[in-house]
mmCIF file of all heavy atoms in Angstrom:
data_model
loop_
_atom_site.group_PDB
_atom_site.id
_atom_site.type_symbol
_atom_site.label_atom_id
_atom_site.label_comp_id
_atom_site.label_asym_id
_atom_site.label_seq_id
_atom_site.Cartn_x
_atom_site.Cartn_y
_atom_site.Cartn_z
ATOM 1 N N SER X 208 -222.026 -51.412 -47.478
ATOM 2 C CA SER X 208 -221.984 -50.497 -46.343
ATOM 3 C C SER X 208 -221.018 -49.315 -46.534
ATOM 4 O O SER X 208 -220.776 -48.548 -45.667
ATOM 5 C CB SER X 208 -221.526 -51.299 -45.121
ATOM 6 O OG SER X 208 -220.315 -52.030 -45.455
ATOM 7 N N CYS X 270 -219.525 -45.053 -33.139
ATOM 8 C CA CYS X 270 -219.853 -45.944 -34.225
ATOM 9 C C CYS X 270 -221.212 -46.511 -33.970
ATOM 10 O O CYS X 270 -221.794 -46.346 -32.888
ATOM 11 C CB CYS X 270 -218.755 -47.004 -34.358
ATOM 12 S SG CYS X 270 -218.638 -48.101 -32.949
ATOM 13 N N GLY X 271 -221.653 -47.291 -34.964
ATOM 14 C CA GLY X 271 -222.979 -47.919 -34.735
ATOM 15 C C GLY X 271 -222.970 -48.905 -33.656
ATOM 16 O O GLY X 271 -223.978 -49.054 -32.914
ATOM 17 N N SER X 272 -221.884 -49.636 -33.488
ATOM 18 C CA SER X 272 -221.802 -50.590 -32.421
ATOM 19 C C SER X 272 -221.973 -49.949 -31.031
ATOM 20 O O SER X 272 -222.693 -50.491 -30.141
ATOM 21 C CB SER X 272 -220.496 -51.329 -32.456
ATOM 22 O OG SER X 272 -220.387 -52.087 -33.633
ATOM 23 N N SER X 273 -221.374 -48.788 -30.767
ATOM 24 C CA SER X 273 -221.467 -48.193 -29.442
ATOM 25 C C SER X 273 -222.878 -47.613 -29.299
ATOM 26 O O SER X 273 -223.396 -47.508 -28.185
ATOM 27 C CB SER X 273 -220.377 -47.155 -29.188
ATOM 28 O OG SER X 273 -220.264 -46.236 -30.201
ATOM 29 N N ASN X 275 -225.591 -49.085 -30.441
ATOM 30 C CA ASN X 275 -226.407 -50.210 -30.002
ATOM 31 C C ASN X 275 -226.136 -50.603 -28.539
ATOM 32 O O ASN X 275 -227.033 -50.864 -27.816
ATOM 33 C CB ASN X 275 -226.058 -51.470 -30.915
ATOM 34 C CG ASN X 275 -226.718 -51.304 -32.249
ATOM 35 O OD1 ASN X 275 -227.440 -50.323 -32.500
ATOM 36 N ND2 ASN X 275 -226.370 -52.146 -33.213
ATOM 37 N N GLY X 298 -228.412 -60.441 -39.418
ATOM 38 C CA GLY X 298 -228.231 -59.554 -38.300
ATOM 39 C C GLY X 298 -226.770 -59.051 -38.174
ATOM 40 O O GLY X 298 -225.862 -59.637 -38.835
ATOM 41 N N HIS X 299 -226.578 -58.086 -37.273
ATOM 42 C CA HIS X 299 -225.186 -57.509 -37.098
ATOM 43 C C HIS X 299 -224.516 -58.166 -35.961
ATOM 44 O O HIS X 299 -225.232 -58.723 -35.062
ATOM 45 C CB HIS X 299 -225.323 -55.997 -36.861
ATOM 46 C CG HIS X 299 -223.988 -55.315 -36.804
ATOM 47 N ND1 HIS X 299 -223.498 -54.782 -35.639
ATOM 48 C CD2 HIS X 299 -223.111 -55.066 -37.796
ATOM 49 C CE1 HIS X 299 -222.279 -54.255 -35.893
ATOM 50 N NE2 HIS X 299 -222.055 -54.390 -37.186
ATOM 51 N N THR X 301 -223.436 -57.048 -33.384
ATOM 52 C CA THR X 301 -223.839 -56.453 -32.083
ATOM 53 C C THR X 301 -225.276 -56.942 -31.757
ATOM 54 O O THR X 301 -225.798 -56.548 -30.756
ATOM 55 C CB THR X 301 -223.901 -54.925 -32.110
ATOM 56 O OG1 THR X 301 -224.680 -54.497 -33.249
ATOM 57 C CG2 THR X 301 -222.546 -54.319 -32.241
ATOM 58 N N HIS X 302 -225.783 -57.802 -32.543
ATOM 59 C CA HIS X 302 -227.143 -58.346 -32.292
ATOM 60 C C HIS X 302 -227.027 -59.705 -31.564
ATOM 61 O O HIS X 302 -227.891 -60.591 -31.752
ATOM 62 C CB HIS X 302 -228.019 -58.524 -33.530
ATOM 63 C CG HIS X 302 -228.296 -57.191 -34.216
ATOM 64 N ND1 HIS X 302 -228.816 -57.037 -35.493
ATOM 65 C CD2 HIS X 302 -227.983 -55.923 -33.885
ATOM 66 C CE1 HIS X 302 -228.950 -55.805 -35.810
ATOM 67 N NE2 HIS X 302 -228.421 -55.081 -34.823
ATOM 68 N N GLY X 347 -233.637 -54.943 -37.430
ATOM 69 C CA GLY X 347 -232.662 -54.243 -38.323
ATOM 70 C C GLY X 347 -231.564 -55.270 -38.690
ATOM 71 O O GLY X 347 -231.428 -56.285 -38.053
ATOM 72 N N ALA X 348 -230.870 -54.976 -39.788
ATOM 73 C CA ALA X 348 -229.960 -55.983 -40.266
ATOM 74 C C ALA X 348 -228.882 -55.381 -41.098
ATOM 75 O O ALA X 348 -228.878 -54.200 -41.464
ATOM 76 C CB ALA X 348 -230.760 -56.964 -41.134
ATOM 77 N N SER X 349 -227.834 -56.183 -41.339
ATOM 78 C CA SER X 349 -226.687 -55.806 -42.172
ATOM 79 C C SER X 349 -226.809 -56.379 -43.567
ATOM 80 O O SER X 349 -226.140 -55.901 -44.497
ATOM 81 C CB SER X 349 -225.376 -56.276 -41.591
ATOM 82 O OG SER X 349 -225.230 -55.754 -40.287
ATOM 83 N N ASP X 374 -232.516 -50.886 -35.616
ATOM 84 C CA ASP X 374 -231.119 -50.535 -35.993
ATOM 85 C C ASP X 374 -231.151 -50.284 -37.491
ATOM 86 O O ASP X 374 -231.195 -51.200 -38.272
ATOM 87 C CB ASP X 374 -230.290 -51.735 -35.655
ATOM 88 C CG ASP X 374 -228.823 -51.543 -36.097
ATOM 89 O OD1 ASP X 374 -228.530 -50.577 -36.861
ATOM 90 O OD2 ASP X 374 -227.970 -52.392 -35.691
ATOM 91 N N ALA X 376 -228.713 -48.834 -39.257
ATOM 92 C CA ALA X 376 -227.370 -48.504 -39.692
ATOM 93 C C ALA X 376 -227.253 -48.503 -41.225
ATOM 94 O O ALA X 376 -226.711 -47.565 -41.833
ATOM 95 C CB ALA X 376 -226.379 -49.494 -39.067
ATOM 96 N N HIS X 377 -227.767 -49.525 -41.847
ATOM 97 C CA HIS X 377 -227.629 -49.643 -43.321
ATOM 98 C C HIS X 377 -228.540 -48.736 -44.047
ATOM 99 O O HIS X 377 -228.222 -48.126 -45.066
ATOM 100 C CB HIS X 377 -227.886 -51.063 -43.752
ATOM 101 C CG HIS X 377 -226.615 -51.795 -44.048
ATOM 102 N ND1 HIS X 377 -226.097 -51.837 -45.317
ATOM 103 C CD2 HIS X 377 -225.755 -52.483 -43.265
ATOM 104 C CE1 HIS X 377 -224.959 -52.508 -45.287
ATOM 105 N NE2 HIS X 377 -224.711 -52.878 -44.044
ATOM 106 N N THR X 400 -225.939 -45.505 -38.292
ATOM 107 C CA THR X 400 -224.686 -45.021 -38.644
ATOM 108 C C THR X 400 -224.786 -43.919 -39.690
ATOM 109 O O THR X 400 -225.776 -43.901 -40.429
ATOM 110 C CB THR X 400 -223.728 -46.075 -39.211
ATOM 111 O OG1 THR X 400 -224.287 -46.571 -40.468
ATOM 112 C CG2 THR X 400 -223.531 -47.301 -38.281
ATOM 113 N N HIS X 402 -222.299 -43.396 -41.929
ATOM 114 C CA HIS X 402 -221.369 -43.603 -43.038
ATOM 115 C C HIS X 402 -221.862 -44.557 -44.128
ATOM 116 O O HIS X 402 -221.098 -44.784 -45.078
ATOM 117 C CB HIS X 402 -220.017 -44.020 -42.506
ATOM 118 C CG HIS X 402 -220.136 -45.250 -41.589
ATOM 119 N ND1 HIS X 402 -220.350 -45.051 -40.228
ATOM 120 C CD2 HIS X 402 -220.012 -46.555 -41.804
ATOM 121 C CE1 HIS X 402 -220.369 -46.307 -39.645
ATOM 122 N NE2 HIS X 402 -220.151 -47.197 -40.600
ATOM 123 N N LYS X 403 -223.016 -45.134 -44.000
ATOM 124 C CA LYS X 403 -223.484 -46.143 -44.999
ATOM 125 C C LYS X 403 -224.313 -45.342 -46.044
ATOM 126 O O LYS X 403 -223.852 -44.468 -46.702
ATOM 127 C CB LYS X 403 -224.108 -47.252 -44.337
ATOM 128 C CG LYS X 403 -223.135 -48.007 -43.387
ATOM 129 C CD LYS X 403 -223.658 -49.221 -42.643
ATOM 130 C CE LYS X 403 -222.687 -49.849 -41.725
ATOM 131 N NZ LYS X 403 -223.231 -50.951 -40.929
ATOM 132 N N ARG X 409 -217.731 -41.650 -40.796
ATOM 133 C CA ARG X 409 -217.780 -42.841 -40.002
ATOM 134 C C ARG X 409 -218.333 -42.506 -38.607
ATOM 135 O O ARG X 409 -217.595 -41.777 -37.870
ATOM 136 C CB ARG X 409 -216.454 -43.490 -40.005
ATOM 137 C CG ARG X 409 -216.385 -44.858 -39.557
ATOM 138 C CD ARG X 409 -215.181 -45.614 -40.128
ATOM 139 N NE ARG X 409 -215.355 -45.679 -41.540
ATOM 140 C CZ ARG X 409 -216.078 -46.579 -42.188
ATOM 141 N NH1 ARG X 409 -216.661 -47.544 -41.456
ATOM 142 N NH2 ARG X 409 -216.254 -46.598 -43.448
ATOM 143 N N GLY X 410 -219.477 -42.981 -38.174
ATOM 144 C CA GLY X 410 -219.936 -42.689 -36.887
ATOM 145 C C GLY X 410 -221.392 -43.182 -36.648
ATOM 146 O O GLY X 410 -222.015 -43.705 -37.561
ATOM 147 N N ARG X 534 -222.374 -60.135 -50.873
ATOM 148 C CA ARG X 534 -223.240 -59.038 -50.650
ATOM 149 C C ARG X 534 -222.862 -57.990 -51.604
ATOM 150 O O ARG X 534 -221.711 -57.628 -51.671
ATOM 151 C CB ARG X 534 -223.280 -58.586 -49.200
ATOM 152 C CG ARG X 534 -224.340 -57.637 -48.821
ATOM 153 C CD ARG X 534 -224.182 -57.141 -47.425
ATOM 154 N NE ARG X 534 -222.936 -56.428 -47.177
ATOM 155 C CZ ARG X 534 -222.653 -55.645 -46.143
ATOM 156 N NH1 ARG X 534 -223.587 -55.518 -45.229
ATOM 157 N NH2 ARG X 534 -221.530 -55.020 -46.051
HETATM 158 C C1 PLP E 28 -222.890 -51.422 -39.797
HETATM 159 C C2 PLP E 28 -223.824 -51.784 -38.775
HETATM 160 C C3 PLP E 28 -223.714 -51.377 -37.427
HETATM 161 C C4 PLP E 28 -222.563 -50.550 -36.855
HETATM 162 O O1 PLP E 28 -221.332 -50.673 -37.380
HETATM 163 P P1 PLP E 28 -220.053 -49.893 -36.896
HETATM 164 O O2 PLP E 28 -219.055 -50.509 -37.709
HETATM 165 O O3 PLP E 28 -219.898 -50.225 -35.459
HETATM 166 O O4 PLP E 28 -220.275 -48.428 -37.086
HETATM 167 C C5 PLP E 28 -224.767 -51.671 -36.572
HETATM 168 N N1 PLP E 28 -225.811 -52.357 -36.941
HETATM 169 C C6 PLP E 28 -225.911 -52.783 -38.189
HETATM 170 C C7 PLP E 28 -227.144 -53.552 -38.599
HETATM 171 C C8 PLP E 28 -224.934 -52.527 -39.184
HETATM 172 O O5 PLP E 28 -225.043 -53.023 -40.416
#
Side-chain angles (χ1 to χ4, degrees):
S208 51
C270 61
S272 296
S273 52
N275 285 355
H299 187 250
T301 54
H302 298 172
S349 301
D374 177 348
H377 257 268
T400 62
H402 52 273
K403 298 180 183 176
R409 192 155 294 282
R534 190 183 63 165

